[in-house]
Amino acid sequence: MTSPVGSSQIESILSQIRNSSAVVRPPVAKTMDVANPASTTKIDFASALRAQLDQLNSMEQSSVSLGQRFALGDTKVNLSDVMIASQKASVAIQTSVQVRNKVVAAYQSIMNMQI
């Protein structure tokens, strides 16, 4: 039998969600110095994309793993942990899909430009 969720547990879960928002945010890149363009570091788009996709994949795998452990009766895994991991992975996937859609739309817009 389960007990009702207290306000302290809800606050704890909300603080975990707030703290985990840093995981989804991409790293801050250096801005271009107009006076000295050689002083900035160059960011390779392919490596940045791969890093984000690897992070997304690890979040999804973690979510699936926690769900499986909970389903198998692991007492160290709470339902709230499973749901939080699942929602984090879901939000990350939805964000990635929206970014992909914007990149594809921008590419199509550029390809349709007249020269």
Side-chain angles (χ1 to χ4, degrees), residues 23 46-62 92-93 96:
V23 173
S47 63
L49 181 62
R50 178 169 300 284
Q52 290 301 316
L53 290 176
D54 288 342
Q55 183 180 11
L56 177 65
N57 187 38
S58 68
M59 288 176 72
E60 181 66 24
Q61 287 177 352
S62 172
I93 289 170
S96 298

Side-chain angles (χ1 to χ4, degrees), residues 16-26 50-69 81-96:
Q16 289 176 358
I17 292 171
R18 287 183 193 114
N19 292 337
S20 67
S21 67
V23 173
V24 178
R25 293 183 186 147
R50 178 169 300 284
Q52 290 301 316
L53 290 176
D54 288 342
Q55 183 180 11
L56 177 65
N57 187 38
S58 68
M59 288 176 72
E60 181 66 24
Q61 287 177 352
S62 172
S63 172
V64 169
S65 173
L66 279 175
Q68 288 174 345
R69 287 176 47 202
D81 295 336
V82 174
M83 295 306 295
I84 289 171
S86 173
Q87 288 301 310
K88 281 198 266 186
S90 175
V91 167
I93 289 170
Q94 290 173 4
T95 302
S96 298

Side-chain angles (χ1 to χ4, degrees), residues 29-42:
K30 286 186 174 182
T31 58
M32 185 172 191
D33 183 9
V34 177
N36 189 5
S39 68
T40 61
T41 58
K42 293 186 179 181

